[in-house]
Amino acid sequence: MVAKIIDGKAISEKMRAGLAKEVSNLVRHMPKPGLAVIVVGDDPASHVYVRSKAKQTIEVGMESFEYQLPASASEHQLLDLVATLNNDERVDGILVQLPLPHHINAEKVLRAIAPAKDVDGFHPLNVGLVATGSGGMVPCTPLGSMILIKSVRDNIAGLNAVIVGRSNIVGKPMAQLLLQESCTVTIAHSRTADLPAVVGAADILVAAVGRPEMVRGTWVKPGSVVIDVGINRVAAPDGKSKLVGDVAFGECLDRAAAITPVPGGVGPMTISCLLQNTLRAATARRA
Amino acid sequence: MVAKIIDGKAISEKMRAGLAKEVSNLVRHMPKPGLAVIVVGDDPASHVYVRSKAKQTIEVGMESFEYQLPASASEHQLLDLVATLNNDERVDGILVQLPLPHHINAEKVLRAIAPAKDVDGFHPLNVGLVATGSGGMVPCTPLGSMILIKSVRDNIAGLNAVIVGRSNIVGKPMAQLLLQESCTVTIAHSRTADLPAVVGAADILVAAVGRPEMVRGTWVKPGSVVIDVGINRVAAPDGKSKLVGDVAFGECLDRAAAITPVPGGVGPMTISCLLQNTLRAATARRA
């Protein structure tokens, strides 16, 4: 078997094209949806992400509002800005770029975002709504991962899904989504006794641990779907660096039925899902 | 091996004795914690539960407020009562006994309870806080089940935990608690392909499906801990009826290391955990 390589870049582009069409229909009878992104400090990676988000936001026809605060900004200042955006009619989605400087309590800031504008889906109210299957905003990375799974498997009910990694941002919400699709769901992590055996039972594997190529090809169940959420920068043979996932991609190609590459798999889906959440927030709030 | 039978009745009594002592210390410098229970209609089982809750509430030294609404009560009336209790200084915990009559939207009512007084832990905000490991009120049945597990296994990190049943009230929050204890957690359910095999891998098994004796003794891993949340009334050989769990108890006695009986296992823990949540809510709110 040669694994199908799931092209997250192409799928996310198609998704944004669909969103652009929806937005162009919507703006006939309502204002443009607006996404506000706040970045604090001068972490270069954060600024790259934020620019990329702003660009794609505008490309699908939405308003982008960008707020840059200095690294010295106080928690109080940031909370003030969030409160202002919560009440700003033009703003449908609010995203605070992480990580925040250490003197700011990130949890407190994320909880200050109005749940209806929490397009990252990190507010505990949205976490609870998603967990109970009662709506709520779904975090972008699990949402994008599920779209990629669905691109190769229409009906996943009854399949064994294994998630490696139990983060609040990926692992746990991914488990909820797979459970809603009636998978038998296992969450494994650093304390798991026999990880290769657990991974070996997975019809659907989602790796989200942030450890370069930790999941080996020999662990993977033949015929499975492998979603690699990890993005790790490692030294390349040429002395430069390269990006690899949490899965040893090359080793899986003759075992998995389908696998996401890194880069170009889950990564590109995230912003598209963010824009989809923003559109959803806009239509819900303005309905 | 002969399984240790986990005595939920004894453990819950000991727990209430501890709570009574805590309450008697607390009331020296604050008012008595108060639990308000609302029951709508005249379902006999609900009234039995509610009387039992009131009795035990008073026994540990707390105030019990009981509200009985007729089956004909409107959703609006119920929401009004919840709002009144939300603002009542004497009330630390509010519990709406389920099921509610069909003309009342239970989800809407449960969301109307102030999260700080939501001692059942059903409000999505508490669900989200528990799911992210950020505090929140833990639902009583999973909390009680975890206490029973801990009564026989001190450290469960790295063990395989399997939950059969994916309800919002038991299965899903139970998964979060076991994950917090660093178990490898699997959630199985009616769509699971090979349930006996999944159950067979469980060092800790929590059955919460509501199907009498569905989990057979031959499925159970030798040496495992079996927590049976099910309470099913079935016909007994003498023509009367009896209560059985979701696990074929007798078949497990020579395989499991420890098992909860039905009745007398998880059941009695629920009210004790409710009282513990009420005490926790009181100290948090009045701190």
Side-chain angles (χ1 to χ4, degrees):
Chain A
M1 181 179 317
V2 175
K4 176 185 163 66
I5 295 171
I6 302 174
D7 188 345
K9 193 158 172 284
I11 294 171
S12 69
E13 276 165 10
K14 201 173 151 195
M15 200 174 149
R16 286 201 304 283
L19 289 172
K21 205 167 166 185
E22 264 191 83
V23 170
S24 75
N25 283 331
L26 275 172
V27 293
R28 288 190 206 144
H29 47 85
M30 71 176 224
K32 276 187 182 186
L35 173 62
V37 177
I38 305 171
V39 58
V40 183
D42 36 38
D43 176 55
S46 288
H47 281 268
V48 171
Y49 288 135
V50 167
R51 266 197 303 275
S52 181
K53 281 169 188 167
K55 184 168 165 280
Q56 296 189 21
T57 304
I58 292 162
E59 276 173 11
V60 298
M62 301 188 191
E63 293 274 11
S64 172
F65 306 99
E66 214 177 310
Y67 297 87
Q68 308 212 8
L69 300 185
S72 60
S74 69
E75 184 178 287
H76 185 78
Q77 274 179 286
L78 181 53
L79 289 171
D80 265 357
L81 175 55
V82 168
T84 303
L85 296 173
N86 282 343
N87 292 315
D88 188 332
E89 265 312 303
R90 303 165 307 162
V91 172
D92 297 289
I94 302 169
L95 183 148
V96 176
Q97 184 68 42
L98 301 177
L100 290 171
H102 292 300
H103 65 278
I104 294 178
N105 180 340
E107 205 170 83
K108 191 171 170 187
V109 171
L110 295 178
R111 284 190 207 175
I113 297 172
K117 297 188 176 186
D118 167 40
V119 283
D120 255 342
F122 294 164
H123 191 288
L125 185 70
N126 281 317
V127 175
L129 289 170
V130 169
T132 53
S134 332
M137 205 71 81
V138 179
C140 301
T141 301
L143 181 57
S145 299
M146 182 56 89
I147 293 169
L148 295 183
I149 293 168
K150 290 301 197 77
S151 77
V152 290
R153 287 277 182 277
D154 204 33
N155 180 5
I156 59 176
L159 296 184
N160 282 337
V162 173
I163 301 145
V164 187
R166 53 174 159 167
S167 72
N168 289 332
I169 292 176
V170 184
K172 289 179 185 173
M174 190 77 234
Q176 302 293 358
L177 298 186
L178 289 161
L179 202 55
Q180 270 165 37
E181 296 287 334
S182 293
C183 292
T184 302
V185 177
T186 298
I187 309 174
H189 44 78
S190 55
R191 302 295 297 271
T192 291
D194 186 354
L195 190 58
V198 173
V199 167
D203 301 307
I204 297 168
L205 174 69
V206 179
V209 271
R211 293 180 56 187
E213 301 186 327
M214 189 192 66
V215 175
R216 310 311 310 186
T218 51
W219 302 5
V220 164
K221 182 175 175 178
S224 60
V225 175
V226 178
I227 305 294
D228 191 350
V229 177
I231 301 180
N232 312 286
R233 187 166 289 282
V234 296
D238 61 3
K240 295 182 184 168
S241 72
K242 60 170 184 170
L243 293 178
V244 299
D246 292 345
V247 178
F249 180 78
E251 298 175 8
C252 297
L253 288 175
D254 59 353
R255 288 178 75 93
I259 185 168
T260 61
V262 175
V266 175
M269 296 298 291
T270 305
I271 298 182
S272 296
C273 289
L274 175 70
L275 298 176
Q276 181 174 294
N277 279 350
T278 305
L279 180 56
R280 223 187 109 198
T283 48
R285 206 170 59 84
R286 298 169 189 257
Chain B
M1 180 181 316
V2 175
K4 176 186 165 64
I5 295 172
I6 303 174
D7 188 345
K9 193 158 172 284
I11 294 171
S12 69
E13 276 165 11
K14 199 173 152 195
M15 201 174 149
R16 286 202 302 282
L19 290 173
K21 204 167 167 186
E22 264 191 84
V23 171
S24 75
N25 284 331
L26 275 172
V27 293
R28 288 188 206 146
H29 48 84
M30 71 176 224
K32 277 188 180 184
L35 173 63
V37 178
I38 305 172
V39 58
V40 183
D42 36 38
D43 177 56
S46 288
H47 281 268
V48 171
Y49 288 136
V50 167
R51 266 196 303 275
S52 181
K53 281 170 187 167
K55 184 169 165 281
Q56 296 189 20
T57 304
I58 293 163
E59 276 172 11
V60 297
M62 301 188 192
E63 293 274 12
S64 172
F65 306 99
E66 214 177 309
Y67 296 86
Q68 307 211 8
L69 299 185
S72 60
S74 69
E75 184 177 288
H76 186 77
Q77 275 178 286
L78 181 52
L79 289 171
D80 265 357
L81 175 55
V82 168
T84 303
L85 296 174
N86 282 344
N87 292 315
D88 188 332
E89 266 311 303
R90 303 165 307 162
V91 171
D92 297 290
I94 301 169
L95 182 149
V96 176
Q97 184 68 42
L98 301 178
L100 288 171
H102 291 301
H103 66 277
I104 295 178
N105 181 340
E107 204 168 84
K108 192 171 170 188
V109 171
L110 295 177
R111 283 190 208 175
I113 298 172
K117 297 188 176 187
D118 167 40
V119 283
D120 255 342
F122 294 165
H123 191 290
L125 185 70
N126 280 317
V127 175
L129 290 170
V130 169
T132 53
S134 332
M137 205 71 81
V138 179
C140 301
T141 301
L143 181 57
S145 300
M146 182 55 89
I147 293 169
L148 296 182
I149 293 167
K150 290 301 195 77
S151 78
V152 290
R153 287 276 182 279
D154 204 33
N155 181 3
I156 60 176
L159 296 184
N160 281 337
V162 173
I163 300 146
V164 187
R166 53 173 159 168
S167 72
N168 290 331
I169 292 177
V170 184
K172 289 178 186 174
M174 190 76 234
Q176 302 293 356
L177 298 186
L178 288 161
L179 203 54
Q180 269 165 36
E181 295 286 334
S182 294
C183 291
T184 302
V185 177
T186 298
I187 308 174
H189 44 78
S190 55
R191 302 295 299 270
T192 291
D194 186 353
L195 190 57
V198 173
V199 167
D203 301 306
I204 296 169
L205 175 68
V206 179
V209 270
R211 293 180 58 186
E213 301 186 325
M214 189 192 66
V215 176
R216 310 311 310 187
T218 51
W219 301 5
V220 164
K221 182 175 175 178
S224 61
V225 175
V226 178
I227 304 295
D228 191 349
V229 177
I231 301 180
N232 311 286
R233 188 166 287 283
V234 296
D238 61 3
K240 296 182 184 166
S241 72
K242 61 170 185 170
L243 294 178
V244 298
D246 292 345
V247 178
F249 180 78
E251 297 174 8
C252 296
L253 288 175
D254 59 352
R255 289 178 74 93
I259 185 169
T260 61
V262 176
V266 175
M269 295 299 291
T270 306
I271 298 184
S272 297
C273 289
L274 176 69
L275 298 175
Q276 182 174 295
N277 278 350
T278 305
L279 179 58
R280 223 187 109 200
T283 48
R285 206 170 58 85
R286 298 168 190 257

